[in-house]
Amino acid sequence: MIPIKLIDAADKAASSTAQPLEAAAAFMKPGTLHLAALPPLSLYIHFPWCVRKCPYCDFNSHEVQGGFPEDDYLAALRADLESALPLIWGRKVYTVFIGGGTPSLLSAAGLDRLLSDVRTLLPLDGAAEITMEANPGTFEAEKFRSYRASGVNRLSIGIQSFNAQHLRALGRIHDGDEARRAVDIAHANFDNFNLDLMYALPQQSLAQARRDIETAIAYAPPHLSLYHLTLEPNTFFAKHPPVVPDDDASADMQDMIRDLTAAAGYAQYEVSAYAQPQRQARHNRNYWEFGDYLGIGAGAHSKLSFPHRIVRQMRYKQPKAYLEHIVQGAQIQEQHEISREDLAFEFMLNALRLNHGFQVNLFAERTGLALNTIEKTLTLAESKGLLYRDHQIIRPTGLGQSFLNDLQQLFLSN
C-alpha cells in the first residue's frame, strides 16, 4: 500500500450534507487565506476489494466473496469523477494512482475502460505518472501487458516478504515463488516499478530481514518502499498481537536497510521511500509536499485548494453504500474546510517526512500563511536539535528524523 493513510490521519472531518456542485460555490467564497497559485493536482482512484483481508491492514479493503460488481463500480467511478469536475475545472492532472484493496483484480478490459474515462474527462499531463497497485497472487503476464498498453506506466507491487513463513504470518495469498514471478513480469513489461516490503515481522530475525532486502535489491527495482510493521488499531493484529522484534532489533534492521540501500545506489528521500536517481514517486511526493489530490471511489479522500481556502472530502467507505449514494449524486460522506489553526500542522505532518525537507517558500505557497506565523515553533524545534533551516531550506535533522513524531507534534500546538 502507498502511504496515503498517513495523510488520512489528519482527515477527521465533520459530517456535512452539502454535495459537490453546491460545495463548489460554497468553497469559493472569499475567506482568510490567499493562495497566489494552486498546487499540482493528482488523481487517486480507490478499488475497495481484495482476495483476503490481511491481519495487519487498516486500509479500506473488503474481501471478494463471489466476485465484485466490476461494471457497476466502473460506472460509479465515472459518475463520481464527472460530479467533481466543477471543483477542479481547468486544472491539469500530473499523476494518477489506482490503489486499494487489490486493483489488479480488475479485468484488462475494465482497466482500459477506467483509464479511457479518465482521459476523456480530465486534461492529463503528457508525461503523467500512472501507477497501479498489484499483488503477486493476481499476476497474469498477459493481463499486465494489457495494463501497460492501456496506459499504466508504473507498478507498485505488494511483495511484503520473499519468505514463505513470514508471508503466511502476514496472511498473504502468495508465496515466495509467486513474488519472484511477479517481479519478473513487472520487469518484462514496465521500466518503472516499486516493490513494497515490510520488516520487523512476526518472529523475523535480522538475517531474515537482510535476505528479503538483498533479494529485492538484486532485482534492481527503480523504487523501494520499506515499511516497519505496525499494529494498527481495529486490525486483527491489534486484537491478537503477534510476537515481533523489540525496539533494539527493529533499530538494527533499520540500520541494515540504510546501509544496504545506500550501497546499492538508492537514496532515501522519505521515511519509507528509497529510489534510484530520477525515480522518486511523483504521486507520493505530491502528498508530502502538500499538493492537491482528488480521490474518487469508495472511501477515497480528497484535498483541494481554492484561492481562499483548502478543503477535504471523504467518500462513503462501504462499497455498497458508495454505490447506493452515487446514484443520488451524494457520494461525499464528510467534508470540511481546513482551519488556519490546523494548516501548519497538516503541512508539517507531510513535508517533514522528506529527508531533505522543503524549500522555505513552499510553506506560504501551499498554506497561504506567512512563515512568521510558525516562527516560534521553528525556533523551538531548532533549539531541540530536531530541525535545520536557512534562507532556502527547512528540513529535519538526523535527530529529527529519529524522533519525527515529536517534531511534528510541536506544530500541532503552534
Side-chain angles (χ1 to χ4, degrees), residues 57 126 143 178 213 216-217 228 390:
C57 178
K143 187 163 71 169
E178 287 175 308
I213 304 303
I217 289 175
H228 188 295
D390 55 32

Side-chain angles (χ1 to χ4, degrees), residues 9 23 122 169 175 206 220 230 251 264 274 278 319 347 353 365 391:
L122 292 176
D175 58 26
L206 178 61
T230 54
Y274 303 75
Q278 309 301 316
F347 177 89
R353 293 181 61 86
E365 288 178 7
H391 66 287

Side-chain angles (χ1 to χ4, degrees), residues 21-294:
L21 291 176
E22 299 167 330
F27 289 153
M28 293 183 199
K29 292 177 182 177
T32 55
L33 300 180
H34 299 281
L35 297 179
L38 300 183
L41 177 65
S42 295
L43 174 67
Y44 175 75
I45 304 171
H46 192 73
F47 181 87
W49 291 284
C50 55
V51 175
R52 181 194 300 162
K53 182 77 171 180
C54 296
Y56 59 85
C57 178
D58 70 337
F59 290 101
N60 182 34
S61 60
H62 308 267
E63 290 189 9
V64 171
Q65 297 180 348
F68 62 92
E70 178 171 290
D71 288 342
D72 289 347
Y73 194 69
L74 291 171
L77 289 174
R78 179 177 179 119
D80 196 350
L81 183 54
E82 287 177 333
S83 71
L85 291 180
L87 298 174
I88 58 169
W89 205 257
R91 297 179 65 180
K92 185 176 289 188
V93 173
Y94 292 91
T95 68
V96 178
F97 196 102
I98 308 169
T102 307
S104 49
L105 289 173
L106 278 168
S107 68
L111 189 278
D112 189 65
R113 172 182 168 184
L114 173 60
L115 290 181
S116 295
D117 286 345
V118 168
R119 291 192 191 90
T120 298
L121 295 171
L122 292 176
L124 283 186
D125 181 68
E129 175 192 270
I130 303 177
T131 303
M132 181 180 191
E133 285 188 337
N135 286 333
T138 64
F139 261 73
E140 301 167 22
E142 185 58 40
K143 187 163 71 169
F144 278 83
R145 280 192 287 271
S146 297
Y147 288 165
R148 183 69 183 87
S150 294
V152 173
N153 54 30
R154 183 175 182 270
L155 281 186
S156 183
I157 308 172
I159 299 292
Q160 313 314 347
S161 175
F162 292 94
N163 182 297
Q165 170 193 341
H166 297 135
L167 288 170
R168 285 193 299 271
L170 292 173
R172 304 295 288 176
I173 64 170
H174 66 273
D175 58 26
D177 289 340
E178 287 175 308
R180 293 175 177 82
R181 178 173 175 270
V183 182
D184 288 337
I185 293 173
H187 251 307
N189 294 281
F190 295 84
D191 62 359
N192 194 10
F193 62 93
N194 166 65
L195 299 185
D196 266 6
L197 280 90
M198 301 173 76
Y199 64 95
L201 305 178
Q203 305 290 346
Q204 187 180 44
S205 68
L206 178 61
Q208 290 171 326
R210 174 183 287 272
R211 280 195 291 275
D212 267 351
I213 304 303
E214 288 175 338
T215 301
I217 289 175
Y219 284 104
H223 193 281
L224 284 165
S225 295
L226 306 175
Y227 300 108
H228 188 295
L229 174 65
T230 54
L231 307 185
E232 301 287 357
N234 302 316
T235 63
F236 181 85
F237 272 0
K239 299 171 185 175
H240 307 278
V243 177
V244 295
D246 61 23
D247 290 344
D248 289 340
S250 294
D252 289 342
M253 291 179 186
Q254 290 172 328
D255 291 342
M256 173 270 296
I257 288 171
R258 180 196 61 217
D259 294 342
L260 286 182
T261 53
Y266 291 86
Q268 182 183 11
Y269 66 100
E270 187 267 347
V271 173
S272 304
Y274 303 75
Q276 294 176 344
Q278 309 301 316
R279 292 305 185 104
Q280 294 183 8
R282 290 165 50 199
H283 186 87
N284 289 357
R285 277 207 71 118
N286 194 42
Y287 291 139
W288 297 322
E289 293 173 347
F290 212 51
D292 276 1
Y293 50 95
L294 171 66

